[in-house]
Amino acid sequence: MRFYQADPRLENYWRGVILFGKNVASYKFALAHALYDLKQPDNDLITLETLAAPFARHLCAHLKQAPKQITSKSSQFLDACRRFNEDEISEDELITLTAKRGFANVIDAFHNVNSAEIDKRFFLDERKTHKGIRLTDNFYTLTEQEQFPNLIQETDARWRLVEEAWAMNVSSQLIAVEYDANDKMLFSRQSNRRITITSCRSSLNGYQKGHCFYCFRAVSVVAGATDLADVDHFLPLTLSAQISNLNGVWNLVLACQSCNRGAQGKFTRIPTTTLLQRLHDRNEYFINSHLPLRETLIRQTGNTPEQRQHYLQQSWNTAKFTLLHEWQPDAQGDSVF
């Protein structure tokens, strides 16, 4: 996939797993979170019993807010998680059931993206020989990267987006994801009721590979970080009378503070056509991802790449005619998308 071929760092292979894998259950997200919790440097072998505790804990926590965690009608494992939440079984019983039933498919499927295995493995399946999985050097190297704290936020954001798609039966009713500029959150509407989904920063960051959309400077999505990313409208909101849906995901990017509001920042100028092509490429990452931002982008900009490119170009032409002045900053890092 071009996503990690264009910038083949370990964190982008990991993002490929989280963002582009097909989801019939949320187990892949729970396994990722369990591995985040268990990054033990003194022992690379993680038994299923050890893995079961954080894996089940994350799923139980999500079940309390989102009852649908799988697309099939039933799951004995999830039934056990629900029974634990209702204090019907003990934690020891839950861990035993998780080790027995919770990992039937997720360990095999974790490294598969678009029906093929990615080139980098983060763990080896040793269930038959050692009753567990063995973390590879790739995983330990991943945990040492500057981007690692962002990956945790991105995984949870993706999980919450998928949950919302399932809750709204997105296969037959396209989900409309909207943006609230005041609290920097993505939300949807169902029966005229607003449903807050997750952080806009965390949802966008993985597709930009943890870098400013405009200058490629590294950014963070961790609250309180000095390099915390800003959510920026690619085409300025001042054009709302001329261009519809500027709060749509198609027009939202993460920018470093310098590009968004520094002395030489964008403000109400129009990004160049080079940056417009970059926006199209970023949006196509959304499209190549599965539910639910894919559905939102298709609804907002068109069914085919050609239609989406035309939509962006027409919107840019309108912006250029109205605001005149173009803008593009000097690169502060290598191109990553």
Side-chain angles (χ1 to χ4, degrees):
M1 288 181 61
R2 183 177 180 274
F3 181 82
Y4 32 75
Q5 291 170 347
D7 184 21
R9 284 179 286 189
L10 285 173
E11 56 262 40
N12 294 328
Y13 278 95
W14 183 270
R15 285 179 168 125
V17 168
I18 300 302
L19 299 178
F20 296 99
K22 291 184 179 180
N23 301 119
V24 297
S26 60
Y27 297 175
K28 183 177 287 191
F29 308 128
L31 180 54
H33 274 295
L35 295 179
Y36 297 147
D37 294 346
L38 290 173
K39 52 184 190 299
Q40 45 192 358
D42 55 333
N43 186 5
D44 55 9
L45 177 66
I46 302 177
T47 66
L48 292 185
E49 187 172 349
T50 300
L51 189 61
F55 181 77
R57 182 176 67 250
H58 285 290
L59 274 165
C60 286
H62 273 257
L63 276 169
K64 291 178 180 179
Q65 304 299 322
K68 191 167 186 177
Q69 294 292 324
I70 194 169
T71 56
S72 62
K73 293 183 178 180
S74 63
S75 163
Q76 291 181 328
F77 165 56
L78 287 180
D79 286 344
C81 292
R82 294 185 184 97
R83 291 169 60 200
F84 173 77
N85 282 345
E86 297 296 326
D87 294 324
E88 295 176 4
I89 63 173
S90 68
E91 184 174 7
D92 287 343
E93 289 175 301
L94 175 64
I95 291 173
T96 299
L97 285 166
T98 302
K100 183 178 181 180
R101 302 186 184 278
F103 304 111
N105 298 312
V106 66
I107 289 176
D108 291 331
F110 188 84
H111 293 93
N112 291 340
V113 179
N114 285 351
S115 303
E117 186 171 302
I118 60 173
D119 295 335
K120 308 291 185 182
R121 288 195 68 93
F122 296 98
F123 62 78
L124 302 175
D125 183 1
E126 296 190 0
R127 285 176 289 178
K128 292 182 179 179
T129 56
H130 294 92
K131 298 182 180 180
I133 63 173
R134 191 175 299 275
L135 299 178
T136 65
D137 289 343
N138 286 336
F139 183 79
Y140 288 111
T141 301
L142 180 73
T143 65
E144 297 168 355
Q145 302 306 301
E146 180 183 23
Q147 287 290 317
F148 184 70
N150 287 340
L151 300 180
I152 299 172
Q153 308 286 331
E154 293 165 24
T155 302
D156 204 52
R158 175 68 179 172
W159 191 346
R160 295 185 185 283
L161 281 163
V162 169
E163 286 172 341
E164 181 59 17
W166 287 339
M168 296 181 69
N169 191 23
V170 72
S171 60
S172 60
Q173 176 184 334
L174 296 183
I175 184 173
V177 178
E178 302 176 54
Y179 171 60
D180 187 313
N182 292 322
D183 60 13
K184 303 294 188 290
M185 297 293 287
L186 295 179
F187 67 95
S188 63
R189 300 183 189 274
Q190 188 172 29
S191 301
N192 295 320
R193 181 170 63 94
R194 173 172 162 160
I195 303 170
T196 298
I197 305 174
T198 190
S199 162
C200 185
R201 288 189 181 97
S202 299
S203 299
L204 298 178
N205 195 57
Y207 297 95
Q208 293 184 201
K209 303 177 181 177
H211 289 76
C212 172
F213 177 87
Y214 299 113
C215 74
F216 297 126
R217 180 183 279 113
V219 295
S220 175
V221 295
V222 179
T226 57
D227 57 349
L228 183 66
D230 286 350
V231 179
D232 182 47
H233 293 81
F234 180 86
L235 298 179
L237 272 178
T238 54
L239 295 164
S240 294
Q242 291 81 21
I243 304 172
S244 63
N245 199 22
L246 288 177
N247 261 329
V249 175
W250 71 271
N251 191 48
L252 300 177
V253 299
L254 294 187
C256 68
Q257 296 169 23
S258 177
C259 283
N260 191 47
R261 46 194 164 99
Q264 302 300 317
K266 177 171 73 75
F267 298 102
T268 57
R269 290 178 287 179
I270 304 303
T272 64
T273 53
T274 298
L275 295 172
L276 182 69
Q277 180 60 44
R278 190 179 298 171
L279 180 67
H280 174 72
D281 293 341
R282 195 289 309 265
N283 285 349
E284 290 304 298
Y285 285 152
F286 285 140
I287 299 298
N288 289 320
S289 176
H290 298 280
L291 305 175
L293 291 180
R294 166 190 173 88
E295 310 302 333
T296 295
L297 264 292
I298 288 174
R299 168 179 279 189
Q300 291 173 346
T301 60
N303 291 324
T304 68
E306 293 75 20
Q307 289 174 345
R308 295 190 286 272
Q309 188 113 40
H310 179 74
Y311 179 88
L312 292 183
Q313 187 64 60
Q314 289 295 102
S315 298
W316 188 90
N317 291 344
T318 299
K320 174 68 173 175
F321 179 79
T322 306
L323 297 178
L324 301 179
H325 301 293
E326 296 183 30
W327 173 87
Q328 181 168 339
D330 294 332
Q332 301 298 314
D334 294 332
S335 173
V336 294
F337 58 91

